[in-house]
Amino acid sequence: MAKVKYYYDSENLAYRKIKVKKRKKVGFVALFLLASALFGFLSFVLLLNTPYFDTPKDRLLLREIENLKLNYAVLNKKMDQVDNAIEAIEERDNNLYRTYFNTAPIPAEERKAGFTDVNRYKALEGYDNTQLVLQTTKRVDVLTKELAIQSKSLDYILKLAKEKNKLLAAIPAIQPVRNENLKQMASGFGYRTDPFTKVRKMHEGMDFTAKKGTPVFATGDGVVKQADNRASGYGNHIVIRHGYGYETLYAHLSKYNCKPGQRIKRGDIIGYVGSTGRSEAPHLHYEVHKDGRVVNPLNFYYGNISAAEYVAISKLANQENQSLD
């Protein structure tokens, strides 16, 4: 029951009951509700923005966030170590393995390239720690891509290593006529005097003088491409396709010891010295072609002659004399 309040009427010398008007009552109630609402709103704002009002759940989440920041920092340290290890492997790959196999290095721009998709990291934006998460995610993506590129590169190097023995066997690495069968190395690679026209012109091979019927040896593994006399000036000649861009030509033969399509090994007798075609005397005209261009055969005689023999034949080959064809 509500308390009844009185006041003292001095004129009538008596106590009278205080009567509160309804309008005033409604005003008091409205003022009370407004004050309560304002107090509640201020309390809510303070609760959101003042650490003193953190709930246990809020404090747990804050600890988890700090722990995640620490884990990201540790992850970035580990990625620094991985990055250093990858750089060391890339250095050996470009400057050792690829140099050894005469293969172009992979550019740094290709190895370190990120991803061009602008929406790739869209889901990570708009958070308090977006920059940390975004930067770390991008580093992981770049490292993953680097590892993929390096893995493919090492697979390629392994394939080259397996092919190396085939390559070494295919390179024309010996003289086509043995030294004991040679009369002399008559003419080398370069500009020489033509024996018929006496005009100075390019001599695209080397001439080895020897008796007619002297064996001619294949200088590398390969397949006989031609064994005929259809090329002008060469007479009876043989062309061997060695692979890896190498071909060799043996001209002015007296007869063949192989046929087109036949697979031969380095050191096999493929024909015999003669003087067919445009030839002044019995000799072997020998050419080496690499990727469709004629090259100096002198650069390939490392398979069956000594250093002293190489120096001697090099001096003879570099004399600008008259060729035999």
Side-chain angles (χ1 to χ4, degrees):
M1 179 180 289
K3 291 182 179 180
V4 179
K5 295 184 179 181
Y6 296 87
Y7 73 95
Y8 182 71
D9 186 356
S10 57
E11 291 183 1
N12 298 313
L13 302 176
Y15 286 96
R16 297 188 184 280
K17 188 184 295 185
I18 297 174
K19 295 181 179 179
V20 181
K21 294 180 179 179
K22 286 186 178 181
R23 184 181 297 173
K24 212 169 187 179
K25 282 184 179 181
V26 172
F28 284 143
V29 171
L31 183 63
F32 175 76
L33 291 175
L34 180 62
S36 298
L38 182 63
F39 178 77
F41 175 75
L42 291 174
S43 299
F44 178 73
V45 171
L46 287 173
L47 187 65
L48 287 178
N49 297 282
T50 308
Y52 302 108
F53 292 96
D54 284 348
T55 64
K57 185 177 180 181
D58 291 334
R59 288 192 291 270
L60 180 62
L61 288 173
L62 286 173
R63 280 199 300 271
E64 288 182 0
I65 290 171
E66 292 303 317
N67 189 42
L68 286 173
K69 287 181 181 179
L70 179 61
N71 287 338
Y72 269 98
V74 172
L75 177 61
N76 275 280
K77 287 285 186 184
K78 289 182 177 178
M79 282 194 290
D80 288 339
Q81 297 173 354
V82 173
D83 203 18
N84 290 335
I86 292 176
E87 283 183 2
I89 295 172
E90 290 172 352
E91 177 76 14
R92 290 198 298 273
D93 186 25
N94 278 346
N95 299 320
L96 180 61
Y97 308 143
R98 287 179 171 267
T99 299
Y100 178 74
F101 291 108
N102 196 27
T103 304
I106 300 174
E109 299 78 24
E110 182 180 339
R111 290 184 183 273
K112 301 288 185 183
F115 295 89
T116 56
D117 182 7
V118 293
N119 295 319
R120 185 179 181 86
Y121 306 105
K122 197 75 175 177
L124 301 177
E125 296 176 355
Y127 298 97
D128 291 339
N129 297 295
T130 287
Q131 194 59 36
L132 175 63
V133 177
L134 197 60
Q135 181 181 354
T136 305
T137 304
K138 286 181 178 179
R139 283 198 70 187
V140 170
D141 285 347
V142 170
L143 285 173
T144 303
K145 189 173 181 180
E146 280 186 79
L147 286 170
I149 292 172
Q150 187 57 58
S151 177
K152 288 182 179 179
S153 178
L154 290 176
D155 287 342
Y156 177 62
I157 294 297
L158 179 61
K159 181 181 178 182
L160 289 178
K162 290 179 179 178
E163 291 285 325
K164 187 69 174 180
N165 287 337
K166 295 180 181 178
L167 170 61
L168 292 175
I171 293 174
I174 65 173
Q175 284 184 184
V177 179
R178 289 177 179 166
N179 278 336
E180 58 266 28
N181 296 325
L182 284 177
K183 289 183 178 180
Q184 64 174 337
M185 208 291 297
S187 183
F189 180 88
Y191 281 93
R192 300 291 184 268
T193 302
D194 186 282
F196 300 100
T197 65
K198 306 304 180 183
V199 175
R200 188 171 176 269
K201 71 173 188 177
M202 182 65 184
H203 186 241
E204 296 186 335
M206 295 183 72
D207 291 342
F208 297 90
T209 58
K211 292 180 180 180
K212 183 178 178 180
T214 299
V216 175
F217 299 93
T219 57
D221 292 5
V223 177
V224 177
K225 178 182 176 183
Q226 291 174 232
D228 55 47
N229 60 1
R230 290 197 289 268
S232 177
Y234 288 127
N236 297 333
H237 69 283
I238 295 169
V239 175
I240 297 176
R241 180 178 290 159
H242 301 279
Y244 306 96
Y246 289 101
E247 284 189 357
T248 51
L249 179 145
Y250 313 76
H252 311 303
L253 303 173
S254 59
K255 60 179 179 177
Y256 309 109
N257 194 45
C258 62
K259 58 185 178 181
Q262 181 178 339
R263 184 170 293 277
I264 50 91
K265 294 285 187 182
R266 178 186 292 145
D268 287 351
I269 297 175
I270 56 172
Y272 301 90
V273 172
S275 188
T276 57
R278 193 173 183 273
S279 171
E280 192 176 57
H283 74 287
L284 173 72
H285 175 81
Y286 173 65
E287 295 181 8
V288 176
H289 297 252
K290 178 68 169 75
D291 298 325
R293 298 175 60 188
V294 66
V295 293
N296 193 345
L298 186 62
N299 298 328
F300 295 88
Y301 301 143
Y302 57 82
N304 66 341
I305 61 174
S306 66
E309 290 172 327
Y310 179 83
V311 171
I313 198 172
S314 177
K315 287 180 179 179
L316 291 171
N318 288 321
Q319 292 177 1
E320 191 167 333
N321 53 12
Q322 178 177 289
S323 64
L324 293 177
D325 46 34

